Amino acid sequence: MIKKIDHIGIAVKSLEETLPFYTNVLKLPLLGIEEVESEKLKVAFLKIGDAKLELLEPTSAESTIAKFLEKRGQGIHHVALGVDSIQDRIKEIKAKGIRMIQEEPKIGAGGALVAFMHPKSTESVLFELCEKKGEGEKHD
């Protein structure tokens, strides 16, 4: 069902202020930065082994990341699980009584199909299902 941890999403107030820690101190390669207008986010991708860190900076006070930062401050926002056939995974997960935030996948950063499980159904951890076409996604 789950292939791997695709990435860990980390909410940050400012990519400009935060990136030097990841690139200069931790020496993680920056794969790219993109804006996801539909989610009101700017996202930086950093490679760490076979996975990525995804730094999430809100571009609007209405962004879910801006609201997360207000409540909890900077830190881990979600864990993304790489899957094949996200539609099938959603059906399986719902059949096991897990509530989804998105009933249908939407397009996320990097063009991946994504859907989040509700943390009230997952022991308080926000998990994202993430399906990438061709696994040679554009950030590698």
Side-chain angles (χ1 to χ4, degrees):
M1 184 168 141
I2 306 297
K3 298 187 311 182
K4 64 180 183 172
I5 291 179
D6 184 79
H7 66 270
I8 297 172
I10 301 171
V12 301
K13 292 177 185 166
S14 165
L15 290 178
E16 185 179 345
E17 292 173 16
T18 306
L19 270 172
F21 170 76
Y22 290 92
T23 57
N24 298 337
V25 176
L26 297 181
K27 303 286 188 200
L28 298 177
L30 176 63
L31 300 173
I33 297 174
E34 85 177 65
E35 192 156 332
V36 183
E37 290 181 27
S38 63
E39 299 301 315
K40 300 175 179 89
L41 289 175
K42 198 160 39 165
V43 181
F45 301 93
L46 299 134
K47 186 150 181 71
I48 183 163
D50 291 334
K52 294 180 201 68
L53 295 180
E54 183 183 79
L55 304 183
L56 307 160
E57 175 192 323
T59 58
S60 164
E62 285 80 52
S63 158
T64 57
I65 296 300
K67 292 171 187 165
F68 177 90
L69 288 167
E70 260 181 50
K71 281 183 169 178
R72 297 192 179 105
Q74 297 189 122
I76 294 176
H77 178 260
H78 68 272
V79 177
L81 306 171
V83 299
D84 290 321
S85 186
I86 194 168
Q87 294 281 9
D88 292 342
R89 300 297 78 80
I90 291 171
K91 283 182 203 167
E92 288 173 17
I93 287 166
K94 285 176 63 178
K96 293 181 190 284
I98 302 299
R99 193 167 126 212
M100 299 296 297
I101 293 174
Q102 288 90 21
E103 297 287 323
E104 293 293 323
K106 61 182 180 177
I107 296 179
L113 290 176
V114 301
F116 286 87
M117 292 180 244
H118 199 289
K120 288 184 179 175
S121 294
T122 60
E123 307 300 323
S124 299
V125 177
L126 181 61
F127 283 105
E128 174 186 27
L129 299 177
C130 182
E131 178 185 342
K132 294 182 176 171
K133 298 294 179 200
E135 257 328 298
E137 71 251 27
K138 69 182 184 180
H139 301 296
D140 279 343

